Amino acid sequence: MGYIASLHELATTERRFYSKLSDIKSQILRPLLSLENLGTTTTVQLLQEVASRFSKLCYLIGQHGASLSSFLHGVKEARSLVILKHSSLFLDSYTEYCTSITNFLVMGGFQLLAKPAIDFLNKNQELLQDLSEVNDENTQLMEILNTLFFLPIRRLHNYAKVLLKLATCFEVASPEYQKLQDSSSCYECLALHLGRKRKEAEYTLGFWKTFPGKMTDSLRKPERRLLCESSNRALSLQHAGRFSVNWFILFNDALVHAQFSTHHVFPLATLWAEPLSEEAGGVNGLKITTPEEQFTLISSTPQEKTKWLRAISQAVDQALRGMSDLPPYGSGSSVQRQEPPISRSAKYTFYKDPRLKDATYDGRWLSGKPHGRGVLKWPDGKMYSGMFRNGLEDGYGEYRIPNKAMNKEDHYVGHWKEGKMCGQGVYSYASGEVFEGCFQDNMRHGHGLLRSGKLTSSSPSMFIGQWVMDKKAGYGVFDDITRGEKYMGMWQDDVCQGNGVVVTQFGLYYEGNFHLNKMMGNGVLLSEDDTIYEGEFSDDWTLSGKDNSGLIEQVGKCSLLPYFLKVCEALVLFLL
């Protein structure tokens, strides 16, 4: 067949195809969707999606048929053919439609529809049979419907066939030949791929019909496809109880471990599978690692072990890449399978770990543990963003903790080690205090600066010095900026303890020993009038010693108290 004849064949068959799609749309889909009480909300949504994608495909075919008529009256250059020039639009439209109809099929298909819809379909069974080109009168209604709505996929084979005919009209070395040949391969490849997708959907539907009802309701999803399962006892759990039942089901997005009426779902994006060596006692064993579980599966034969390992690895790889196994458009070769990476990016919500229960981690992983940069969020609003190592916060990171009572939050930015604040960091408290310095085991430890309030606030203060286990200890300086008072000296357990110096804005100066925030022991007190008292101070405000005149050798509590209290009032307020 020549070039022009092949183009006429394409135009003619495209118009017929458009006419059939239009009939299905106007005589089946539109009346069906106009009925009330079609079924559950999910069923209606899935059917509406099928109808929407079908309408889009119908419109595309109609436009293509019209463009072919214009093309035949024009220059007729092969490279200007819409089916070549906009091949990605055709391929995407068919893929989207196939996805919607297979999702509908997996969830039960037309059997999900309520009685009014089924009655309508039964009344129009002859029309359905004619449109679907099913000649056997004994064919069941549901089978006719499946054939009818998968009918558009067959058109891809026709595209591939006609494009190949057109290619033979050119020299093998010409660009036109290569373009037509490649496009033909693309359409044929997609047709085969979508055919496999239909079989996967039918296989999955058959599985759901035999699966226990309650678990089906929770596990069944439109996009979920069955890859393989262990009901033939080809796979078992190591060290399982004698009477336990363990059923493993591999879907395209998760590995499910079912036991009697319970089950657990392990998302593939955070699942690692590796074969056990003979030295580890696992001739036919597979080690499965997830963020919160690790278990060993034993296969019945080496062949089963290879089969399951390959199936899991391929499924994990596809889940991580977020794509189907369809080759890239323009390539006739199949995708080279890869072992899923040990290090990967994924999102996971913890359900078991007490520290992380219900928290969601989104970031890098390594062999089942957060490792690298990531974000960890708890339901109560806590959030850590930064580096992880072996499942714990480690490295530089930012941590936020809501304070509901104050309607603010604590905020830490700095270094971490093994899940705890450790090293240099800045902690801003909801109260307004800010600590800059060293941390260890989530506590202030080492040298640091604590600021309370701002310079414009009613009570700004500052401490700079040493900390031990979240308390002031060692040498430190406390400066009460509002009162103009400063303490420089030793601390222990958050109180002044040992030698120190106090200076106030009123000219009072004390240098000596402190005990539990009180001047106690040997010391020198200088008042604002330059009077110096040197001697032994006690916690009942008794002073034994001399003043700078040398006339007072010993001053008792009663004689000194009125004057001494006046002198020390500011110091007492400052220290306490």
Side-chain angles (χ1 to χ4, degrees), residues 19-32 54 120:
S19 177
K20 182 179 286 289
L21 294 184
S22 297
D23 288 342
I24 295 172
K25 179 181 174 182
S26 61
Q27 299 180 48
I28 303 298
L29 278 175
R30 193 173 292 161
L32 186 62
F54 188 93
F120 166 78

Side-chain angles (χ1 to χ4, degrees), residues 39-189:
T40 64
T41 303
T42 303
T43 301
V44 174
Q45 288 176 345
L46 288 170
L47 184 58
Q48 286 175 339
E49 184 179 354
V50 169
S52 174
R53 299 282 173 83
F54 188 93
S55 296
K56 178 182 177 181
L57 193 60
C58 183
Y59 177 79
L60 179 66
I61 301 306
Q63 292 296 305
H64 183 225
S67 71
L68 283 171
S69 298
S70 301
F71 181 82
L72 286 168
H73 292 89
V75 182
K76 304 181 186 65
E77 290 185 354
R79 61 185 178 184
S80 299
L81 275 170
V82 174
I83 199 172
L84 262 67
K85 196 173 181 180
H86 301 288
S87 59
S88 61
L89 177 61
F90 281 81
L91 295 167
D92 288 342
S93 297
Y94 276 95
T95 301
E96 289 172 0
Y97 173 71
C98 184
T99 299
S100 65
I101 191 64
T102 51
N103 287 348
F104 185 56
L105 176 63
V106 163
M107 296 304 289
F110 292 97
Q111 292 173 329
L112 291 174
L113 297 177
K115 190 175 184 301
I118 298 298
D119 290 343
F120 166 78
L121 294 172
N122 280 321
K123 289 177 183 178
N124 291 276
Q125 186 160 346
E126 288 187 13
L127 173 63
L128 291 169
Q129 198 162 342
D130 180 56
L131 290 172
S132 63
E133 301 175 7
V134 174
N135 298 321
D136 188 355
E137 295 181 357
N138 297 320
T139 306
Q140 296 294 317
L141 174 63
M142 294 305 160
E143 189 176 339
I144 294 173
L145 287 167
N146 284 341
T147 302
L148 177 65
F149 283 94
F150 277 102
L151 191 65
I153 309 302
R154 288 162 46 185
R155 183 62 181 161
L156 291 168
H157 290 293
N158 299 120
Y159 290 150
K161 184 179 178 181
V162 172
L163 290 173
L164 198 57
K165 285 181 181 179
L166 291 171
T168 59
C169 300
F170 295 89
E171 294 291 334
V172 174
S174 67
E176 290 84 0
Y177 178 88
Q178 191 62 49
K179 179 67 175 176
L180 289 163
Q181 181 80 16
D182 289 345
S183 295
S184 175
S185 297
C186 276
Y187 282 102
E188 184 63 26
C189 182

